[in-house]
Every structure is written in C-alpha cells, then in structure tokens.
Amino acid sequence: MSIPLEQPDAPEPLNNSAAAAPESTDDSYADYEALYGEQPPRIATAKQTRARAVTSRRRAELKAGLGDTRRDNEIVFTFKAARFEETWLIGYLKTFYDDQLITDVLHEVKGGKEATVYCCRAHPRTGADLLAVKVYRPRKLRNLRNDAQYREGRKVLDDAGKEVLATREQRAMAKKTRFGQELRHGSWLGHEYETLRRLHAAGADVPRPVAQSDNAILMEYVGAESDPAPALHQVRLGPDEARPLFRRIMRNIGTMLACERIHGDLSAYNVLYWGGDLRIIDFPQAVNPYENPSAYTLLARDVTRICQYFARYGIQADAPSLARKLWTEQVAASR
C-alpha cells in the first residue's frame, strides 16, 4: 500500500482573485507579474456586478443539475480562476466544449512554468467521468525549457500533426519571427500529443490521449476528483511494491524505444502512481532514437534517474548496463 509523504515546498500560488489585469493597448498581459502581489481594491462596475451574478447563478444551476453547461455560448467554470486566466482558458478549451468532450473545469491539478493541468468534468458521450487537460501558457507568459537538444533532428509538425515543409514557414522559424515562434510552439505540443497517441496504442503506461487543440491536450485523468494521483517521488512504496514497479517502468522504457521514442526527462517526478497502477507523463521533449544525436545520452540519463530512485528501496541496478542492453535490443539491432 502506498503512503503519501509530506508534500515538498511548492512555489507561491498565483493570486486567483477576480481582479482584472491592468489594461494595456499593446499587450493585455504586460503587467502579469503584478498579479502575484497585493492589488489595490477595485470598485466593480454595474456591468461587472451583473456578470458575476449571472455566473454565480449558473454555477448553482449546474451544481443542481439544471440545464446544459452553456447558455447562449456561455462557458462557466466551477474552478474560480482569475479573470485573465479564465479568459485564455475559455479561448483554449472552447473547442473541447463545442465537441462535447468536457462540460466543466473543476480545479487546478498542477501548475508549472510551461503549462498547467486542470481536472475537467467529462461529457457523458466520452464514457469517462473526469478528464485532464494540459494547457500551455500564452506565448508571452510561458517559459519553455532550453529545448535545443531535444529539437535536434526533429521534424516540425503543424496543429494537424503533419510535417511543415512550406518554404515560408521554414524561413519564419529560422528567423525566429513571431509567426515562426508560434509554429515551433505548436510543433512542440503536436509532438507530445503524437507521442502519447503512439505509446498508448502500443500498450505503454501513459494517459490515454483524447483530443488536441492549438494550445491544449485533453487526456485521461488519473486519481479521484478531489485527490489527483501523486507523483512517484511523493509516495512511500510498500516492501512488495518497489521491485515490480521498477521492472514495469523499465519495460515501459523498452516499449518507448520500440515506438521510436525516448522520454528524455524521465524521473520519479513525472510518473504518477495510483492504487498500484502508474502513468508516465510529460512527453513534449521526447526524442526519436534514430534521429537525435543525443538520443543515447538522454536514454542513459532516464535509466539512471529511475535506478537512483529505486535504490532507496534496496534495489541495486547497474544503470549503464541496463541502458546499453535496452539500446542494443531495441535500437542497434534494428539498424
């Protein structure tokens, strides 16, 4: 049985008050950082007061099971986001509402520099009760990792998962224009969704992908509604759990290689553990072992991190030998 450990120190949460971001004619998010600090009290206008009253009434109706989640194109969240956050969430998630995949955003699961994961109420037609949506931050607010090593040898994909070959697009990316940066970002998300789709089809322990929009990925939710599955580093495994779990993760690494993928950032921080089951998450940086010149280095690092975690349970493993064995069986043998 897994026992939750004390949670590590988390970054200061965003100020989720209903205060509006300072207005700007150039960039509506220019003063975003100010939202982290204390804000002077604002006097709501009559229009704002009416809007809040409507939202509160609709939330009450939804809780009571009255009516659909939208009325006259209105989208209402149970999750009480700050106004600037709710604005871009509605924009990014509207396609999932329109396609009858989700009906509500319930709460935030995990925030990060690049993206935030939310728990959503699934539409009945999906056959699921809950779904998770990973929403990347607006371009001006996100802080993507130094991804040059992961992009080496990688094809650029559009939002439909097709390779970008047009000269104009290639030139824009080379010059790092605003348009080019958006193409690169869209490709980053496209690769994550395509990797999830490929690995799930092969039977790997990854969340089932459901849909993709231009800045969000909808997928299987792991855990209970009010209790999301913790990452592996947050639980203490029982004496009979560690070794089978270690072997299972190593099998998953082998499955990834068979699917021409290396996670590239694998550790106990991105393996979810719930009721004896696991899901490996966060694949935007995954690389192709046949195309990326750093592939073996990244594989060896993934294996080493997993071995280091399980060493605390007395599992002694030779990480370099394991990495070489996996590479030889799955990659070298097929060349």
Side-chain angles (χ1 to χ4, degrees):
M1 178 177 182
S2 56
I3 305 173
L5 293 178
E6 181 178 348
Q7 297 291 329
D9 292 336
E12 290 296 321
L14 294 180
N15 178 5
N16 280 347
S17 68
E23 294 185 1
S24 169
T25 56
D26 300 325
D27 179 5
S28 59
Y29 299 108
D31 295 312
Y32 170 77
E33 293 296 333
L35 293 168
Y36 286 87
E38 293 295 328
Q39 295 294 309
R42 295 173 182 262
I43 300 175
T45 65
K47 182 177 180 181
Q48 289 172 330
T49 301
R50 288 194 299 272
R52 289 172 186 167
V54 169
T55 299
S56 298
R57 185 172 67 251
R58 287 293 293 131
R59 284 197 177 106
E61 291 174 352
L62 290 173
K63 188 174 182 180
L66 302 176
D68 195 4
T69 57
R70 295 191 305 267
R71 178 181 295 169
D72 296 329
N73 295 322
E74 177 189 5
I75 298 176
V76 178
F77 294 153
T78 295
F79 170 60
K80 294 177 175 60
R83 194 176 77 177
F84 74 91
E85 183 180 6
E86 187 170 53
T87 298
W88 52 263
L89 269 180
I90 289 175
Y92 294 144
L93 303 186
K94 187 177 185 301
T95 182
F96 299 146
Y97 279 87
D98 292 344
D99 292 343
Q100 295 186 321
L101 296 174
I102 62 174
T103 62
D104 194 5
V105 178
L106 302 177
H107 60 82
E108 180 181 315
V109 175
K110 178 184 177 183
K113 294 180 179 180
E114 301 176 8
T116 300
V117 178
Y118 300 89
C119 174
C120 299
R121 180 72 62 198
H123 193 282
R125 69 184 292 270
T126 66
D129 182 33
L130 302 170
L131 289 172
V133 65
K134 181 176 183 179
V135 182
Y136 275 77
R137 297 186 181 280
R139 187 175 63 87
K140 294 181 180 180
L141 306 185
R142 60 182 177 256
N143 182 20
L144 290 175
R145 71 191 76 202
N146 182 6
D147 58 5
Q149 183 181 35
Y150 303 110
R151 289 189 185 273
E152 289 186 274
R154 175 185 286 191
K155 297 179 176 65
V156 177
L157 306 179
D158 59 20
D159 56 8
K162 297 181 180 179
E163 184 178 358
V164 174
L165 299 173
T167 303
R168 173 175 173 265
E169 282 80 358
Q170 295 283 356
R171 187 165 55 246
M173 287 184 289
K175 292 182 177 180
K176 296 184 178 181
T177 64
R178 180 176 179 178
F179 173 58
Q181 293 291 73
E182 289 296 343
L183 282 174
R184 288 170 62 87
H185 175 69
S187 179
W188 190 248
L189 270 70
H191 272 284
E192 179 168 26
Y193 186 78
E194 171 59 23
T195 294
L196 281 174
R197 188 198 62 76
R198 180 180 298 199
L199 295 181
H200 185 267
D205 293 308
V206 300
R208 175 178 64 90
V210 176
Q212 174 191 6
S213 70
D214 61 350
N215 210 52
I217 297 175
L218 189 65
M219 67 188 86
E220 173 189 7
Y221 178 83
V222 186
E225 179 176 330
S226 59
D227 187 20
L232 194 56
H233 78 99
Q234 295 174 302
V235 303
R236 181 179 291 117
L237 299 174
D240 59 340
E241 293 178 294
R243 190 168 296 277
L245 189 62
F246 171 73
R247 291 172 177 165
R248 186 169 172 181
I249 293 176
M250 287 300 158
R251 285 199 300 271
N252 271 274
I253 294 176
T255 300
M256 292 179 205
L257 282 170
C259 293
E260 301 183 353
R261 290 294 184 273
I262 294 171
H263 188 286
D265 194 29
L266 186 59
S267 74
Y269 285 81
N270 44 37
V271 177
L272 301 182
Y273 189 64
W274 184 258
D277 203 2
L278 68 91
R279 292 291 184 272
I280 300 173
I281 60 172
D282 295 338
F283 286 91
Q285 74 291 318
V287 302
N288 187 317
Y290 301 98
E291 297 175 351
N292 189 293
S294 301
Y296 184 78
T297 299
L298 294 172
L299 171 67
R301 187 176 68 183
D302 284 355
V303 173
T304 297
R305 286 175 173 174
I306 296 301
C307 288
Q308 288 172 340
Y309 170 79
F310 282 97
R312 71 182 66 179
Y313 295 102
I315 297 176
Q316 301 301 317
D318 186 340
S321 294
L322 278 174
R324 284 195 299 270
K325 183 174 185 294
L326 286 163
W327 182 268
T328 299
E329 293 177 348
Q330 299 292 345
V331 181
S334 63
R335 284 180 165 172

